[in-house]
């Protein structure tokens, strides 16, 4: 049965216009809104904070060194120093299921444990402030559990007096965690920024309720170097792909492939700009992944075009492209869909930067399949709009069955 030939060439112009409109929409977004650069690409602070009630407090009055070593299933009190017996007291949350049980079980000489909050709260919910030393002293070390009834808008309002601050909620309602991002000037240190955020939140919600979960700070020199190297990496990647495609196929094939890759990158950036996705090194990795994935799909199509140049007799190059795209259509769709299964699963069951990575991949995979079929082929068709197929000398070979025509070569 003869394979059905789809008229892809009829969609080249509408698809080209559609892509130009979307890319222009992205350029407008870039001019008016800019890219939501992550901390990797601009100097500043990213701090994850929780606003939680104090469940209990620990203090120590003695000559030894007592350190709290917390982990998911419990915590240890490590006693060390000269003149004392070095030992580790382990307190498992499974053995002491409530905060009250845990506080009552602590029996290290010199260590005082005082219940401050709801004693019936689950001990497994206990967490510490990462910005505070875990070495016990006369000053109390707070143990936290649960979360205050504070929303992301409350945190934004509390930090509204600080410049260049963005806040988003990255936790659940029962485990509310707020990511605070603050842009730094060249002479500001990470500690100063962190102190500003902590003190401002403390004035609004109470100083002892502010818990720092994680803090990252990137200096201006590092962020500028990383941004410059990322641009160089992208340009070098496209240049190498251009050289490979030009050597393997033809200059106009190579140009069509590069235009399709640039199209995919610009479509991804349009999505990133308008959804305000944070552009980090993880998202950059997704963009580079799509560049490699898309060129693989395009090369398969171009290879079929080159093969059909020698095998098919056609009246126009657009007809040759229709035939070649029809030959590779099922392969392109099946490859993209099966890859999407894994990426969609990654998006649904992950959080944070991996979720952004998978979402960018989803957009890039769809754009890559679309550009390989319509954008790359449309530009190649445009470059060869005056193309004519020429045939060489034919010979007739006669045998008992009939006459067989052999084409000595096709000039393309």
């Amino acid at each position: 049965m003869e394979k059905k030939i789809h008229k892809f060439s009829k969609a080249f112009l509408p698809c080209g216009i559609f892509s130009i409109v979307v890319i222009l929409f992205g350029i407008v977004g870039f001019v008016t809104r800019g890219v939501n650069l992550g901390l990797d690409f601009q100097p500043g602070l990213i701090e994850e904070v929780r606003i939680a009630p104090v469940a209990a407090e620990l203090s120590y009055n003695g000559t030894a060194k007592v350190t709290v070593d917390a982990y998911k299933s419990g915590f240890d009190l490590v006693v060390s120093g000269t003149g004392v017996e070095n030992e580790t007291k382990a307190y498992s949350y499974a053995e002491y299921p409530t905060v009250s049980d845990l506080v009552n079980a602590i029996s290290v000489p010199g260590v005082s444990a005082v219940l401050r909050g709801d004693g019936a709260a689950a001990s497994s919910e206990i967490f510490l402030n990462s910005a505070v030393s875990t070495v016990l002293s006369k000053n109390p070390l707070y143990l936290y559990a649960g979360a205050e009834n504070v929303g992301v808008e409350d945190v934004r309002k509390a930090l509204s007096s600080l410049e260049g601050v963005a806040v988003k909620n990255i936790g659940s309602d029962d485990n509310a965690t707020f990511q605070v991002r603050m842009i730094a000037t060249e002479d500001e240190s990470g500690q100063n920024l962190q102190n500003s955020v902590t003190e401002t939140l403390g004035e609004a919600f109470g100083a002892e309720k502010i818990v720092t979960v994680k803090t990252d700070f990137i200096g201006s020199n590092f962020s500028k170097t990383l941004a410059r190297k990322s641009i160089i990496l992208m340009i070098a990647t496209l240049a190498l792909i251009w050289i490979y495609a030009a050597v393997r196929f033809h200059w106009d094939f190579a140009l069509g492939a590069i235009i399709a890759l640039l199209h995919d990158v610009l479509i991804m950036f349009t999505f990133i700009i308008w959804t305000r996705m944070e552009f980090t090194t993880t998202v950059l990795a997704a963009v580079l992944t799509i560049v490699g994935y898309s060129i693989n799909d395009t090369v398969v199509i171009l290879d079929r075009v080159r093969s059909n140049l020698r095998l098919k007799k056609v009246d126009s190059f657009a007809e040759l492209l229709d035939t070649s795209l029809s030959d590779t259509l099922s392969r392109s769709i099946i490859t993209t869909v099966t890859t999407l299964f894994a990426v969609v699963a990654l998006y649904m069951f992950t959080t944070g930067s991996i979720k952004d990575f998978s979402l960018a991949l989803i957009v890039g995979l769809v754009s890559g399949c679309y550009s390989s079929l319509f954008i790359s082929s449309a530009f190649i068709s445009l470059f060869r709009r005056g193309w004519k197929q020429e045939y060489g000398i034919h010979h007739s070979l006669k045998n008992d069955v009939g006459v067989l025509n052999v084409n000595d070569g096709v000039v393309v």
Side-chain angles (χ1 to χ4, degrees):
M1 189 172 92
E2 186 177 351
K3 189 178 183 66
K4 182 178 179 181
I5 306 301
H6 302 279
K7 297 297 182 180
F8 290 94
S9 56
K10 292 184 177 180
F12 286 168
L13 182 58
C15 288
I17 295 173
F18 171 75
S19 294
I20 290 173
V21 171
V22 173
I23 291 170
L24 288 176
F25 187 60
I27 294 173
V28 171
F30 176 77
V31 174
T32 58
R33 308 182 69 182
V35 181
N36 183 23
L37 294 174
L39 191 61
D40 302 331
F41 296 99
Q42 64 178 348
L45 170 79
I46 287 186
E47 182 178 12
E48 293 181 11
V49 298
R50 296 178 66 177
I51 302 172
V54 177
E57 62 179 49
L58 302 177
S59 59
Y60 176 67
N61 187 8
T63 58
K65 180 182 178 182
V66 181
T67 305
V68 179
D69 185 10
Y71 44 93
K72 285 186 177 181
S73 58
F75 70 84
D76 298 337
L77 291 179
V78 182
V79 182
S80 60
T82 57
V84 298
E85 182 180 353
N86 295 339
E87 61 176 339
T88 299
K89 293 280 189 176
Y91 299 92
S92 168
Y93 296 147
E95 187 177 355
Y96 308 104
T98 67
V99 174
S100 179
D101 294 336
L102 190 63
V103 168
N104 294 332
I106 295 175
S107 59
V108 176
V111 175
S112 174
V114 179
L115 182 65
R116 287 275 306 270
D118 182 11
S123 59
S124 58
E125 295 182 359
I126 287 178
F127 57 94
L128 301 176
N129 189 340
S130 65
V132 176
S133 172
T134 57
V135 178
L136 296 183
S137 64
K138 294 180 180 180
N139 297 322
L141 173 68
Y142 297 132
L143 305 180
Y144 299 89
E148 292 285 302
N149 186 21
V150 176
V152 65
E153 292 301 328
D154 299 321
V155 177
R156 287 176 182 148
K157 183 178 179 180
L159 295 174
S160 60
S161 60
L162 301 178
E163 294 183 3
V165 175
V167 182
K168 67 178 180 179
N169 189 356
I170 59 173
S172 60
D173 293 338
D174 298 332
N175 185 22
T177 303
F178 305 100
Q179 185 186 80
V180 180
R181 189 176 116 189
M182 190 172 183
I183 300 174
T185 59
E186 293 189 3
D187 56 349
E188 281 185 305
S189 67
Q191 189 61 52
N192 289 339
L193 293 177
Q194 184 179 351
N195 291 340
S196 298
V197 171
T198 303
E199 291 172 4
T200 305
L201 290 176
E203 292 173 0
F205 306 109
E208 66 179 28
K209 295 181 180 180
I210 309 305
V211 186
T212 300
V213 179
K214 185 175 68 173
T215 302
D216 291 313
F217 180 79
I218 299 295
S220 58
N221 290 335
F222 179 81
S223 60
K224 290 178 182 177
T225 301
L226 185 59
R228 183 173 62 253
K229 288 183 177 179
S230 298
I231 295 173
I232 294 173
L233 176 63
M234 180 65 70
I235 294 174
T237 301
L238 293 175
L240 290 173
I241 291 175
W242 160 271
I243 294 172
Y244 164 78
V247 171
R248 181 170 179 182
F249 300 107
H250 195 265
W251 71 267
D252 53 350
F253 282 25
L255 184 58
I258 293 299
I259 289 173
L261 292 182
L262 288 174
H263 167 275
D264 297 336
V265 171
L266 292 174
I267 292 295
M268 292 182 73
F269 270 98
T270 298
F271 178 83
I272 291 168
I273 289 169
W274 284 102
T275 59
R276 305 308 294 162
M277 180 188 293
E278 189 174 65
F279 187 75
T280 63
T281 51
T282 304
V283 176
L284 175 62
V287 174
L288 292 175
T289 300
I290 291 303
V291 169
Y293 184 92
S294 181
I295 191 60
N296 177 66
D297 200 16
T298 303
V299 163
V300 171
I301 294 173
L302 295 182
D303 190 62
R304 180 55 62 95
V305 173
R306 183 178 61 176
S307 176
N308 285 340
L309 277 170
R310 299 177 174 87
L311 300 176
K312 304 289 184 179
K313 182 178 180 180
V314 293
D315 296 327
S316 67
F317 204 83
E319 184 182 344
L320 182 69
L321 287 171
D322 288 338
T323 303
S324 302
L325 291 172
S326 299
D327 291 343
T328 57
L329 178 62
S330 59
R331 182 264 179 202
S332 298
I333 294 177
I334 291 173
T335 303
T336 300
V337 171
T338 52
T339 307
L340 278 173
F341 286 153
V343 178
V344 169
L346 195 64
Y347 173 75
M348 293 176 62
F349 300 109
T350 58
T351 58
S353 59
I354 300 300
K355 195 177 188 72
D356 289 343
F357 172 82
S358 55
L359 181 57
L361 276 184
I362 292 172
V363 176
L365 285 170
V366 175
S367 175
C369 182
Y370 161 80
S371 67
S372 296
L373 292 172
F374 297 104
I375 303 303
S376 175
S377 301
F379 275 92
I380 296 172
S381 178
L382 178 64
F383 296 144
R384 297 208 175 192
R385 59 187 180 277
W387 175 88
K388 295 294 182 181
Q389 192 174 39
E390 298 179 7
Y391 289 87
I393 302 173
H394 291 262
H395 298 282
S396 294
L397 298 179
K398 295 182 179 181
N399 52 30
D400 295 336
V401 178
V403 178
L404 177 64
N405 289 328
V406 180
N407 185 359
D408 274 350
V410 177
V411 181
V412 299

